[in-house]
Amino acid sequence: MDFYQVLQIIIPSMIAYAAPLIFTALGGVFSERSGVINIGLEGLMVIGAFTGIVFNLMYADVLGAWTPWLSVLVAMIAALLFSTLHAVASITFRADQTVSGVAINLLAVGLTLFLVKKIYDKGQTDIIAETFPRIDIPLLSDIPFIGPILFSNGYYIAYLAIIVAIIVWYIIFKTPFGLRLRSVGEHPMAADTMGVNVTKIRYQAVLLSGAFAGIGGAIHATLFANDFSHTTINGQGFMAIAAMIFGKWNPLGAMGAALFFGLAQSLSIVGSSLPFIKDIPSVFLLIMPYILTIIALTGFIGRADAPKASGQPYIKGKR
Amino acid sequence: MSKYFYKLTSPLFAVILGLLAGAIIMLVSGYNPVEGYGAMLAGIAGDSYYTGETLRTIIPYILAGLAVAFAFRTGLFNIGVEGQLIVGWLAAVWVGVAFDLPKIIHLPLAILAGAVAGSLWAFIPGFLKAKFRVHEVIVSIMLNYTALYVTNYLIQNVISDNQDKTERIAETASLRSPFFESLTDFSRLHWGIFIAIICVFIMWFILEKTKTGFELKAVGFNQQASEYSGMSVNKNIILSMVISGAFAGLAGAMEGLGTFGYAAIKGGFTGIGFDGIAVALLGANSAIGVVLAAFLFGGLKAGAINMPLQTGIPSEIVDIVIALIIFFVASSYFIRWIVQRFKKGAK
């Protein structure tokens, strides 16, 4: 197997593994840019994964090939609704945002496993029949050399993740909503003085983060797990948080980091069949995203600073 | 009076609301909540075996709760208790497997190894916070996963020869208690319960009776003021994390040396570290509060095992209840607001 063939296996798999991380990390960017820490991304992904799989199992006969797309959509709505809990607790009731996020994670796992046992009477769901097909993008995959690496044997939804990251970058840095979002996260009082509704923006941001994490969870479950159990989402939410920090709270940076972590994940899984890589113990690939994030935070790779007001509830009139 | 009133009522309120919400969820999903909670109570203290198992569950809950609470008092959120616990578990078992010593040396050495491993793991976020002002929450979350994967790797490739768990620890390093076993119909209750109680006392003593404890709490209240009055904020941050990590490591050692007697590869977290956050929050970060909260949550967890057996209700209902209790405690502003409304209404 030569190097070019190795790339043909690794690159599509990297983009696929990165897709859930990209969506979820973008959600994290929205929430944290508005000043609300969202440790609950993991739990929101769990909700997305559960909803996606259950919807897929229920409607696969009726919807056919459209099932995975619609299940992602339904998962998005479910996680958005679930994230209102975090929004209400951390914005309106001024709860400690980290604590509320921890509660979201525990609640999501408890609730979904409770429902799985209730519906299926066992610890995991059945295997889904309809998943995203692997495709070659027309025209682009015919480009010599890079076509077979970048645009073949992939998933539409994975490419969509990259496009969405660019759109989110545009929204956050080029639109009035984005400006308000960032100002609320940096200095809510100043934003409030200028007539920005801090509470409203923060609610929107947290709900967006729920929606995006829901998409991420559903994609991960549909593509890689094919069913739902307690290990379906196992750290992907926290890895998305890592990607967000590593990308310095910038949507494109987060996307880049997510792609990199996707590479690590895919190597740790398909790497055992590849030359060179199979000699690296997979534990190094597994822990690399986390270790790199810690190093990024300490400032060895350019300092990563959170939005200034992140973690603090905004109380009108308080200095 | 009103300050103590809130301190007591809001956790109580949260527990009641959480249990109520659990009952509603059971009702909506077509189960009988009275039967459900009945089965849970039977699972907590139905006979001496259940009582033993409940107390056994409470041991790591007390220690994990102490770990979170101790760091909280210095203004630090140690979300990494889970990782420190896993590391402590492995270290204690490793010492238990690898050495051949008389019990009087071997057991304390194994326990100490757990505590030290937990401390070292917690030292990293403490040091990075002190030195680089990096938020301890993110670092310790990342270290949780690092701990999970590294310990799995060590168990599989270094300590054992491609097995999914280590050998059993030597009898000289075991916390197993034939006395408790005979008393509780062969439950896994072990001597660790005394270690947990001693640690509760240690935490109370450090925080309330020593100069170090005063400094730790001062840093938690106001870093600038502490710095200005000559305390080293950085030193206290690291110290607080290290002590917190020692409690967490001990929690792991209790599981390794007492409950299981080995360390196995884990597909996911034990959950004890995260439940420790719930314990500390509900216990208002005080030593005695942690004990009470650990009894509650440990009891809920232990009792939950009986629910599917007796009534067919999935035991996860208890995880839902615990998560909701955390929500309600965290949103105590909301409870206060209701109480105040209620008072105004009464006038």
Side-chain angles (χ1 to χ4, degrees):
Chain A
M1 199 186 290
D2 62 18
F3 189 63
Y4 185 64
Q5 278 171 310
V6 171
L7 280 185
Q8 273 182 328
I9 297 173
I10 290 178
I11 302 292
S13 147
M14 166 184 98
I15 300 174
Y17 273 98
L21 298 178
I22 294 175
F23 274 110
T24 312
L26 291 175
V29 169
F30 273 119
S31 178
E32 297 233 340
R33 278 283 178 180
S34 82
V36 181
I37 294 175
N38 197 348
I39 300 281
L41 287 175
E42 173 93 359
L44 294 164
M45 278 185 93
V46 170
I47 295 289
F50 167 78
T51 317
I53 293 294
V54 170
F55 183 87
N56 196 315
L57 287 169
M58 283 165 90
Y59 293 100
D61 298 340
V62 192
L63 298 166
W66 284 101
T67 321
W69 292 96
L70 280 164
S71 62
V72 165
L73 196 71
V74 174
M76 179 186 95
I77 295 164
L80 183 146
L81 292 176
F82 200 71
S83 67
T84 50
L85 277 176
H86 184 56
V88 171
S90 58
I91 302 168
T92 307
F93 295 148
R94 302 172 198 170
D96 184 311
Q97 295 167 3
T98 310
V99 173
S100 165
V102 170
I104 285 275
N105 290 337
L106 292 175
L107 187 60
V109 174
L111 194 63
T112 50
L113 286 180
F114 179 82
L115 289 173
V116 164
K117 285 190 181 163
K118 165 87 185 144
I119 301 172
Y120 299 94
D121 217 11
K122 53 183 178 179
Q124 74 277 351
T125 66
D126 301 325
I127 305 277
I128 54 169
E130 290 286 343
T131 179
F132 291 104
R134 281 185 177 271
I135 45 91
D136 297 338
I137 296 184
L139 297 176
L140 288 175
S141 61
D142 298 332
I143 303 172
F145 194 72
I146 60 164
I149 300 178
L150 288 179
F151 301 111
S152 297
N153 211 16
Y155 301 96
Y156 275 123
I157 194 127
Y159 298 112
L160 185 68
I162 292 170
I163 296 169
V164 169
I166 296 166
I167 296 173
V168 169
W169 174 84
Y170 183 84
I171 291 173
I172 287 186
F173 288 105
K174 304 288 171 197
T175 65
F177 172 75
L179 182 63
R180 287 183 195 130
L181 183 82
R182 284 179 292 133
S183 66
V184 161
E186 291 291 331
H187 203 314
M189 204 203 290
D192 194 13
T193 318
M194 300 305 288
V196 178
N197 187 339
V198 176
T199 308
K200 191 176 136 200
I201 296 273
R202 285 191 170 179
Y203 261 91
Q204 288 169 339
V206 173
L207 295 191
L208 275 171
S209 82
F212 273 83
I215 297 175
I219 295 175
H220 187 86
T222 310
L223 280 185
F224 308 118
N226 301 124
D227 68 353
F228 181 83
S229 71
H230 69 286
T231 53
T232 301
I233 300 296
N234 193 3
Q236 279 76 22
F238 289 113
M239 203 183 275
I241 294 175
M244 172 192 77
I245 295 168
F246 203 60
K248 296 179 185 168
W249 289 267
N250 179 316
L252 296 180
M255 180 190 75
L259 282 171
F260 185 61
F261 294 169
L263 177 69
Q265 264 194 313
S266 74
L267 283 182
S268 72
I269 288 158
V270 301
S272 56
S273 60
L274 301 173
F276 322 120
I277 295 154
K278 68 169 176 243
D279 300 327
I280 308 171
S282 68
V283 63
F284 290 113
L285 297 166
L286 286 169
I287 66 175
M288 186 173 69
Y290 306 114
I291 300 291
L292 282 175
T293 303
I294 294 173
I295 295 172
L297 279 166
T298 49
F300 293 120
I301 321 174
R303 196 171 164 79
D305 281 315
K308 284 219 174 51
S310 90
Q312 296 154 7
Y314 176 62
I315 302 165
K316 246 188 203 304
K318 194 187 167 191
R319 283 162 168 276
Chain B
M1 131 88 198
S2 71
K3 203 178 135 200
Y4 288 101
F5 179 73
Y6 286 131
K7 249 193 177 158
L8 262 174
T9 47
S10 59
L12 267 180
F13 248 165
V15 171
I16 293 168
L17 282 177
L19 289 172
L20 262 180
I24 292 170
I25 292 171
M26 279 192 260
L27 209 58
V28 172
S29 11
Y31 299 114
N32 183 341
V34 179
E35 272 177 21
Y37 283 136
M40 188 165 91
L41 283 177
I44 294 172
D47 59 33
S48 63
Y49 173 80
Y50 284 130
T51 316
E53 279 293 303
T54 303
L55 286 172
R56 198 266 306 158
T57 316
I58 290 168
I59 297 169
Y61 271 70
I62 291 179
L63 289 163
L66 289 179
V68 179
F70 196 91
F72 257 135
R73 293 292 280 270
T74 314
L76 299 165
F77 192 170
N78 186 2
I79 203 171
V81 169
E82 184 70 41
Q84 293 143 24
L85 183 149
I86 295 175
V87 174
W89 183 332
L90 183 69
V93 168
W94 203 340
V95 170
V97 172
F99 293 98
D100 197 16
L101 296 163
K103 184 146 195 164
I104 192 126
I105 304 171
H106 201 179
L107 180 57
L109 192 67
I111 294 172
L112 195 68
V116 170
S119 289
L120 287 175
W121 208 250
F123 171 80
I124 303 170
F127 175 76
L128 294 179
K129 169 108 180 177
K131 186 94 181 161
F132 299 104
R133 297 285 132 200
V134 182
H135 206 298
E136 74 279 5
V137 167
I138 304 294
V139 176
S140 33
I141 286 175
M142 301 302 144
L143 284 176
N144 281 345
Y145 282 96
T146 312
L148 183 67
Y149 293 125
V150 168
T151 52
N152 279 353
Y153 175 78
L154 288 175
I155 290 169
Q156 198 164 24
N157 297 297
V158 180
I159 303 176
S160 79
D161 195 17
N162 244 339
Q163 303 291 309
D164 57 3
K165 62 183 182 199
T166 65
E167 288 172 50
R168 285 198 72 83
I169 51 168
E171 202 46 49
T172 46
S174 174
L175 278 168
R176 271 185 52 203
S177 154
F179 169 68
F180 281 141
E181 276 171 15
S182 68
L183 212 60
T184 59
D185 199 12
F186 295 97
S187 79
R188 290 174 293 173
L189 180 60
H190 52 83
W191 293 120
I193 187 106
F194 291 112
I195 294 172
I197 293 167
I198 292 167
C199 286
V200 171
F201 181 76
I202 290 176
M203 159 151 167
W204 170 83
F205 187 80
I206 293 179
L207 283 177
E208 309 300 334
K209 296 290 167 200
T210 65
K211 189 170 137 262
T212 317
F214 181 81
E215 286 195 14
L216 289 171
K217 284 188 291 180
V219 170
F221 281 124
N222 191 330
Q223 292 199 355
Q224 279 82 15
S226 315
E227 189 80 59
Y228 200 66
S229 56
M231 301 171 191
S232 165
V233 171
N234 288 346
K235 193 197 91 190
N236 279 304
I237 285 175
I238 296 176
L239 184 65
S240 173
M241 282 305 276
V242 165
I243 296 175
S244 166
F247 286 135
L250 279 175
M254 294 305 107
E255 294 292 87
L257 303 175
T259 310
F260 293 97
Y262 56 81
I265 285 186
K266 294 177 188 62
F269 290 127
T270 64
I272 298 170
F274 297 117
D275 288 339
I277 297 169
V279 170
L281 267 178
L282 190 68
N285 302 322
S286 73
I288 186 72
V290 163
V291 176
L292 295 176
F295 265 82
L296 178 75
F297 286 139
L300 287 175
K301 275 279 189 186
I305 299 166
N306 193 37
M307 293 175 79
L309 304 176
Q310 241 183 47
T311 59
I313 303 174
S315 58
E316 279 76 17
I317 185 74
V318 163
D319 297 324
I320 300 176
V321 170
I322 291 179
L324 289 173
I325 292 175
I326 305 184
F327 254 123
F328 293 130
V329 176
S331 312
S332 61
Y333 171 76
F334 157 73
I335 291 173
R336 250 177 241 188
W337 181 79
I338 290 184
V339 170
Q340 269 163 5
R341 270 295 152 95
F342 194 68
K343 272 187 179 167
K344 268 183 201 160
K347 277 175 193 170

